[in-house]
Amino acid sequence: PPRQRLRKQWYQRRVRGMANKKVLYVGGLAEEVNEKILHSAFVVFGDVIDVNIPLDYATNKHRGFGFVEFESVDDCAAAMDNMNESEIYGRTIRCNIAKPMKMSERSMKAVW
């Protein structure tokens, strides 16, 4: 049916988009690091579109990792090559290409 074909085309475009590898995972962040500091550390490698540091809702502090999204794949690769195993605020950080979040069966269930 046409609807299934459209859904499949959308999914293929989405998967292909993930293959661009423009989002960098940055782990091992010190508590003092915020999105502005992370942006400043990575903007030297190219145009940064977005910086995200997820918070732990229980403590209202970040969980020690973040994501940096670049305009181009080459900028992201350069940042990863240069910043992996470097130091920010006295902590050694790890930089890898971010992997898409896996959907678990728990996340698919209704919460009510």
Side-chain angles (χ1 to χ4, degrees):
R3 186 174 224 168
Q4 281 184 321
R5 191 174 28 231
L6 284 175
R7 195 174 299 147
K8 186 176 180 182
Q9 288 171 350
W10 174 85
Y11 178 75
Q12 287 172 338
R13 279 197 307 269
R14 184 164 166 81
V15 169
R16 233 181 287 128
M18 285 182 216
N20 287 340
K21 300 185 182 353
K22 295 181 191 177
V23 181
L24 200 62
Y25 163 85
V26 183
L29 298 175
E31 278 188 35
E32 302 84 21
V33 176
N34 58 28
E35 291 179 352
K36 188 175 179 181
I37 293 168
L38 203 56
H39 183 275
S40 299
F42 284 90
V43 75
V44 296
F45 299 103
D47 293 333
V48 173
I49 295 173
D50 188 34
V51 176
N52 182 14
I53 301 177
L55 292 178
D56 180 7
Y57 292 110
T59 63
N60 209 21
K61 295 181 180 177
H62 70 73
R63 298 166 48 192
F65 66 90
F67 300 95
V68 180
E69 183 177 359
F70 288 89
E71 181 74 35
S72 81
V73 177
D74 295 333
D75 294 344
C76 186
M80 183 178 68
D81 292 341
N82 288 289
M83 293 297 284
N84 191 37
E85 300 296 323
S86 66
E87 258 186 45
I88 296 180
Y89 278 74
R91 300 267 310 260
T92 303
I93 61 169
R94 293 173 313 284
C95 298
N96 299 305
I97 299 297
K99 295 182 175 100
M101 206 166 98
K102 292 180 181 168
M103 296 298 280
S104 68
E105 207 164 299
R106 253 178 72 188
S107 67
M108 304 282 278
K109 291 183 180 176
V111 292
W112 57 87

